[in-house]
């Protein structure tokens, strides 16, 4: 995989973050950048593939497109997969796994198709080198992603390996941790910039805080992990170590930052502490145990970004119905001059919080449809009227 010319690439991401990812990849030097539902198609050489893996905060993976062909039958899929020169890409000693995603595929069993693609790769190896790679469903060396639509079969090599939201540093997850790339993408949507105060008053395991501190200190999100491309035959070790060294040289010295987190429960705050410590960032972020209804602003202006608990049970919904209006009061009384962003799957939140929403951005937290609600708080204003009592 040492590509002088540009290869066709695709980076999936959480839905709702496609434009933010397109801008990020363009900033890394990607060509032909095109945001589509669920990800970004782009073009680039080996250097760009390595950089996108090392530096993209928003992509879930970086996939290298191998081919795309029309198909009608299982046999067409087997044949196209067999015809690809797999032994040229990786050694038979590498373990593999095939992943398959289909939309409007007319063929019946996707599990069977996945097996047929795996068989085709193994058969190709057997005929070329006399043995076949092992399958490892848990930690494969090489991941192969197949996409089927109604007529077209597309195959990708995964250059990332483990998904990119696994930064390699999270020590412990809280009750409902956000994926790191979703958190980083949301930070991009808020327009927050290092130097501006950032507060998460319901910080849980501290995902927003870790991502923000890494952005502020210019720490490459992939600097503490390994990648799938290291297992491929054409791995260019000197190019890779050069890129890592360049990223390392840009890293700013550790210092206290205007990034603040608070959390109601001491045990959960310990998780945030552990996650910051695992990323070497505990000195950079200021944490404290506090009720979000009793906080005050740590600076005259800034960005408040939070992901409050989401009530699935009736009792929790009742608690939240009481919590949101009080939290709205706190924002209005204590956060004049701040831009506040609340990520929630609770579509009743805007009605209950009774502040005027200036923007609502649809996002997906996994399969859960959410909104990022934006509230620009100015002194003494913008209370939306109390809903009339039934
Ligand atoms: C959905 S979780 C946040 C997850 C976090 N974004 C992460 O990625 O780990 C919501 C958090 O709000 C905390 N919380 C609930 N009520 C609170 C309150 N009144 N004040 C402060 N924190 C509160 C919960 O303990 C929980 O950790």
């Amino acid at each position: 995989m040492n590509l002088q010319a540009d290869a066709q690439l695709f980076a999936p991401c959480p839905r709702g973050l496609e434009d933010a990812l397109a801008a990020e990849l363009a900033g890394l030097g990607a060509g032909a950048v095109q945001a589509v539902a669920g990800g970004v198609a782009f073009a680039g050489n080996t250097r760009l593939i390595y950089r996108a893996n090392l530096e993209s905060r928003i992509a879930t993976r970086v996939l290298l497109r191998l081919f795309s062909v029309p198909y009608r039958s299982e046999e067409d899929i087997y044949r196209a997969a067999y015809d690809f020169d797999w032994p040229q890409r990786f050694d038979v000693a590498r373990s593999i796994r095939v992943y398959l995603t289909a939309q409007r595929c007319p063929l019946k069993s996707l599990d069977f198709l996945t097996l047929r693609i795996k068989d085709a790769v193994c058969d190709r190896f057997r005929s070329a080198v006399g043995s076949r790679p092992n399958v490892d469903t848990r930690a494969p060396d090489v991941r192969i992603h197949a996409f089927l639509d109604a007529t077209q079969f597309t195959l990708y090599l995964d250059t990332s390996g483990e998904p990119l939201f696994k930064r390699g540093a999270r020590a412990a997850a809280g009750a409902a941790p956000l994926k790191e790339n979703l958190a980083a993408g949301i930070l991009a949507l808020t327009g927050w910039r290092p130097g501006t105060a950032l507060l998460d008053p319901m910080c849980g395991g501290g995902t927003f805080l870790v991502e923000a501190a890494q952005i502020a200190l210019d720490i490459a999100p992939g600097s503490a992990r390994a990648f799938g491309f290291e297992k491929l035959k054409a791995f260019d070790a000197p190019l890779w170590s050069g890129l890592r060294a360049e990223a390392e040289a840009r890293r700013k010295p550790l210092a206290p930052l205007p990034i603040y987190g608070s959390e109601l429960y001491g045990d959960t705050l310990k998780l945030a502490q552990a996650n910051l410590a695992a990323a070497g960032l505990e000195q950079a972020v200021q944490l404290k145990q506090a009720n979000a209804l009793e906080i005050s602003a740590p600076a005259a202006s800034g960005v408040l970004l939070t992901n409050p608990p989401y009530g699935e049970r009736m009792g929790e919904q009742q608690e939240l119905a009481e919590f949101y209006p009080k939290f709205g009061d706190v924002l209005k009384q204590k956060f004049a001059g701040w831009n506040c962003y609340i990520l929630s799957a609770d579509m009743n939140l805007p009605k209950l919080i009774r502040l005027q929403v200036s923007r609502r951005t649809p996002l997906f937290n996994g399969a859960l449809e959410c909104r990022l609600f934006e509230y620009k708080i100015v002194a003494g204003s913008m209370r939306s009227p109390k809903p009339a009592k039934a």
Side-chain angles (χ1 to χ4, degrees), residues 170 174-179 200-208 262-265 268 290-293 307-310 323:
R170 186 180 248 168
L178 293 174
K179 293 226 159 56
D200 180 351
M202 288 174 264
C203 71
T207 319
F208 284 130
S262 52
E263 160 65 46
L264 185 58
Y265 301 107
T268 310
N291 186 336
L293 299 181
N307 159 220
Y310 168 58
F323 173 80

Side-chain angles (χ1 to χ4, degrees), residues 12-314:
C13 67
R15 276 190 288 160
L17 293 178
E18 294 89 347
D19 290 341
L21 174 59
E24 184 190 56
L25 291 170
L28 291 172
V33 175
Q34 198 195 350
V36 297
V40 175
F42 61 110
N45 58 12
T46 305
R47 182 184 169 83
L48 182 84
I49 293 172
Y50 291 3
R51 274 199 79 192
N53 274 293
L54 178 62
E55 296 186 41
S56 172
R57 300 183 194 277
I58 305 175
T60 302
R61 1 180 126 263
V62 178
L63 302 175
L64 169 67
R65 193 165 112 149
L66 302 175
F67 63 78
S68 188
V69 292
Y71 77 95
R72 285 188 169 184
S73 63
E74 275 120 17
E75 183 55 25
D76 292 342
I77 288 170
Y78 175 87
R79 191 46 52 200
Y82 181 89
D83 285 345
F84 189 75
D85 189 357
W86 297 102
Q88 187 220 340
R89 298 295 178 135
F90 59 91
D91 195 273
V92 69
R94 299 296 188 190
S95 60
I96 61 167
R97 178 167 177 187
V98 175
Y99 299 79
L100 187 135
T101 313
Q103 281 172 344
R104 300 183 308 277
C105 169
L107 303 179
K108 270 188 229 104
S109 166
L110 298 184
D111 286 344
F112 180 67
L113 287 173
T114 312
L115 271 178
R116 291 302 285 153
I117 297 168
K118 184 269 295 171
D119 286 345
V121 178
C122 290
D123 292 348
R124 179 67 192 241
F125 265 101
R126 213 184 268 113
S127 77
V129 302
S131 60
R132 50 156 283 187
N134 286 328
V135 170
D136 182 343
T137 53
R138 207 186 46 80
D141 295 323
V142 176
R143 294 165 199 239
I144 297 161
H145 291 258
F147 284 84
L148 293 170
D149 66 14
T151 57
Q152 207 70 16
F153 167 42
T154 308
L155 214 52
Y156 295 92
L157 254 189
D158 185 342
T159 70
S160 303
E162 288 278 286
L164 297 177
F165 55 76
K166 297 200 175 169
R167 311 292 202 215
R170 186 180 248 168
L178 293 174
K179 293 226 159 56
E180 287 78 348
N181 61 335
L182 177 61
I186 291 172
L187 278 163
L189 293 181
T190 69
W192 172 79
R193 288 262 161 262
T196 302
L198 180 81
L199 167 66
D200 180 351
M202 288 174 264
C203 71
T207 319
F208 284 130
L209 308 173
V210 172
E211 290 301 309
Q214 291 204 344
I215 293 167
L217 297 174
D218 216 340
I219 298 172
S223 54
R225 55 162 280 166
F227 294 94
F229 60 73
E230 296 173 62
K231 308 271 176 74
L232 299 177
K233 263 192 180 164
F235 174 50
D236 186 338
L239 173 64
W240 175 228
S241 57
L243 289 171
R244 284 179 64 112
E246 277 172 31
E248 201 54 37
R250 287 200 306 269
R251 189 175 176 139
K252 301 199 171 82
L254 194 59
L257 302 168
I259 299 178
Y260 308 87
S262 52
E263 160 65 46
L264 185 58
Y265 301 107
D267 286 351
T268 310
L269 195 69
K270 283 198 188 117
L271 294 181
Q273 255 151 6
N275 285 328
L276 284 162
L281 294 167
E282 73 263 59
Q283 287 172 42
V285 173
Q286 302 176 49
L287 288 180
K288 71 172 180 199
Q289 188 175 353
N291 186 336
L293 299 181
E294 289 163 11
I295 53 168
S296 45
S301 64
V303 170
L304 180 151
L305 170 59
T306 201
N307 159 220
Y310 168 58
E312 280 168 31
R313 290 195 303 269
M314 283 296 280

Side-chain angles (χ1 to χ4, degrees), residues 308-309 324 342-355 373 375:
Y324 287 137
I342 302 181
L343 177 73
S344 181
D346 187 344
M347 302 303 163
N348 280 325
L349 183 144
K351 200 171 70 204
L352 293 165
I353 210 164
R354 301 198 342 260
L355 296 168
F373 298 105
Y375 299 97

